Amino acid sequence: MPARVLDGTAVANQIRSELAPAVASFTARTGRPPGLGIVLVGDDPASEIYVRGKVKSAGETGLRADVERLPATASLDQLLGVVDRLNRSDVHDGILVQSPLPEAMGADAERRVFDALDPAKDVDGFHPVNVGYLVQNRAALVASTPSGVIELLERSHVTIAGARAAVLGRSDIVGKPMALLLLHRHATVTICHSRTSNLRAVAREADILVAAIGRPAFVTAEFVKPGAAVVDVGITAIRDRQAVERIYPAGSRRRETFERRGSLTVGDVHPEVAEVAGALSPVPGGVGPLTVVMLLKNTLTAANQRAGG
Ligand code: NAP
C-alpha cells in the first residue's frame, strides 16, 4: 500500500489561518503590523523566487515585508551596514538575510552576518544565542525548516516520543536543529552525515527518517524501515534528462513536468520509497511551504516579544 502523504501545503495553510487573526490582533494592539526585513544580495534566480514567495505569503497573512537589495558586487561591510540599520529599525521585528551570499564575500560571510543580527530579530534562529537556547530547549526563535518538519509530523499525528529517529545531514540550518527538536520531543536520535558508515543500515532502524542532504533521490527503499515516516527536506533542481529518466518511469507526471519546464525540483528521497514507508512528504508540496509559514510565525513571535506581550 502506498505511503500516506504528509501534506505540507495543507498543514501550512492550517498554520497560516491560525496566524492571520493573531497578526491582526497584534496590529490592532500596536498600530502597526509585524514587520520583516529581507536582505537579498545579488541576482540568484532561485533566491529571487524564494524571496518573492516569502513577501507574498507575508502580505497574505497581514505582515509587512520589505526587501533590501544589494548588488552581487556589494562588500560584506555594506551588507553588515544594512543589517545594522534593520537591527535599529522600529518597524522591523524580524530580519532574514537570504542565502546563499555571493562567494566573493568570503567563506565566513554567512557566519559573520548571523553573528551581527540582533538575536531578538533573528527569525531564522541562526544566531549563536538562539542556537544556545535551542540546545537548552527554551528557544523562542528556531530555524524555520526543522520547526516546520515538527509541525508536519505532529499535525499529521506521527508519534515522536519514544520513536527512533535518523536525521540525514548535520548542517547548522537543518540537520543539527532538526535533531535537537526531535530529541526535545523524546525521540532517540541518530545524526548521519557523509562519513557515517553503513548509512543504509542506520537509516533502516528509524521510525522517523528526515533526509536533508541535497542529493536527489539518494534515499532508496533499502534505507527505509517498512512503515516508517519519511520527511524529505532536500530540494535540488535537475536539468539533466538522463538523471530524471533514472528516477522517474516513462509516462509519469514528473517526467511530463520535466518535458514542459526543462528542469525538475527533486527531493532526497527516491519515489520508490512510497511503496515501503508508512508516510512520506512530497517534493514539492512537503517541507517547502512550511519553511515559509514558520518564518512568518517567528516574525510574529519576535514582534510580540519586542512589544512586551
Ligand atoms: P548542506 O549544508 O549542504 O548540508 C548537507 C549535509 O548532508 C551535510 O551534513 C553532509 O555531510 C550531508 N551529506 C551530503 N552528502 C551525503 C551523503 N552522500 N551521505 C550522507 N550525508 C551526506 O545542506 P543544507 O543546507 O542542510 O540543506 C540540505 C538540503 O535541504 C538541500 O537540498 C537544501 O536545498 C534543502 N533545504 C530545503 C529547505 C526547504 O524549505 N525545504 C530549506 C533548507 C534546505 P557532511 O557534513 O559530512 O559534509
Side-chain angles (χ1 to χ4, degrees), residues 7-88:
D7 186 343
T9 305
V11 172
N13 285 339
Q14 193 184 6
I15 297 172
R16 212 186 322 271
S17 68
E18 293 163 9
L19 269 181
V23 167
S25 130
F26 176 90
T27 308
R29 186 161 55 87
T30 64
R32 66 167 184 90
L36 174 64
I38 301 176
V39 189
L40 178 57
V41 189
D43 43 22
D44 175 57
S47 294
E48 292 276 353
I49 294 170
Y50 290 142
V51 167
R52 217 177 302 141
K54 288 167 186 171
V55 170
K56 180 167 176 278
S57 198
E60 287 167 358
T61 319
L63 290 91
R64 164 185 179 156
D66 300 306
V67 182
E68 301 265 357
R69 286 175 179 272
L70 285 173
T73 51
S75 67
L76 179 57
D77 279 346
Q78 276 175 292
L79 173 55
L80 292 173
V82 174
V83 169
D84 182 50
R85 185 154 44 76
L86 289 169
N87 276 344
R88 286 183 285 107

Side-chain angles (χ1 to χ4, degrees), residues 9-303:
T9 305
V11 172
N13 285 339
Q14 193 184 6
I15 297 172
R16 212 186 322 271
S17 68
E18 293 163 9
L19 269 181
V23 167
S25 130
F26 176 90
T27 308
R29 186 161 55 87
T30 64
R32 66 167 184 90
L36 174 64
I38 301 176
V39 189
L40 178 57
V41 189
D43 43 22
D44 175 57
S47 294
E48 292 276 353
I49 294 170
Y50 290 142
V51 167
R52 217 177 302 141
K54 288 167 186 171
V55 170
K56 180 167 176 278
S57 198
E60 287 167 358
T61 319
L63 290 91
R64 164 185 179 156
D66 300 306
V67 182
E68 301 265 357
R69 286 175 179 272
L70 285 173
T73 51
S75 67
L76 179 57
D77 279 346
Q78 276 175 292
L79 173 55
L80 292 173
V82 174
V83 169
D84 182 50
R85 185 154 44 76
L86 289 169
N87 276 344
R88 286 183 285 107
S89 162
D90 285 339
V91 295
H92 294 106
D93 305 286
I95 306 170
L96 177 147
V97 179
Q98 183 66 42
S99 298
L101 295 174
E103 278 180 21
M105 278 196 177
D108 65 344
E110 287 194 356
R111 186 149 276 174
R112 288 190 53 194
V113 169
F114 299 150
D115 286 357
L117 290 170
D118 176 350
K121 294 190 178 187
D122 168 34
V123 284
D124 262 335
F126 296 160
H127 189 283
V129 166
N130 288 320
V131 175
Y133 282 137
L134 173 61
V135 171
Q136 295 183 345
N137 195 18
R138 56 193 185 113
L141 299 175
V142 179
S144 33
T145 299
S147 49
V149 172
I150 294 291
E151 292 282 356
L152 182 61
L153 290 171
E154 289 184 339
R155 290 179 188 243
S156 307
H157 310 290
V158 173
T159 305
I160 300 177
R164 280 186 176 225
V167 178
L168 311 189
R170 58 173 164 181
S171 71
D172 288 345
I173 65 165
V174 187
K176 280 184 214 160
M178 184 75 254
L180 284 163
L181 290 173
L182 289 164
L183 177 67
H184 295 330
R185 282 160 183 77
H186 313 297
T188 301
V189 186
T190 306
I191 307 176
C192 305
H193 45 78
S194 64
R195 309 280 190 92
T196 300
S197 50
N198 214 353
L199 182 63
R200 270 172 229 191
V202 177
R204 213 167 36 231
E205 295 274 301
D207 306 303
I208 298 172
L209 178 62
V210 181
I213 57 176
R215 303 263 180 260
F218 180 90
V219 176
T220 53
E222 323 164 84
F223 285 70
V224 178
K225 177 177 179 176
V230 180
V231 180
D232 190 354
V233 179
I235 299 180
T236 309
I238 303 190
R239 287 180 188 81
D240 172 8
R241 173 179 301 275
Q242 284 179 347
V244 173
E245 288 175 358
R246 269 198 301 276
I247 302 171
Y248 298 101
S252 66
R253 279 175 54 193
R254 299 288 281 151
R255 283 270 279 265
E256 283 168 22
T257 306
F258 175 75
E259 295 304 335
R260 232 180 17 255
R261 298 192 184 150
S263 86
L264 198 64
T265 303
V266 176
D268 289 344
V269 177
H270 196 285
E272 71 184 20
V273 167
E275 301 305 320
V276 184
L280 173 63
S281 75
V283 174
V287 177
L290 283 158
T291 296
V292 177
V293 87
M294 296 312 285
L295 170 72
L296 305 183
K297 194 172 179 185
N298 278 348
T299 304
L300 176 64
T301 301

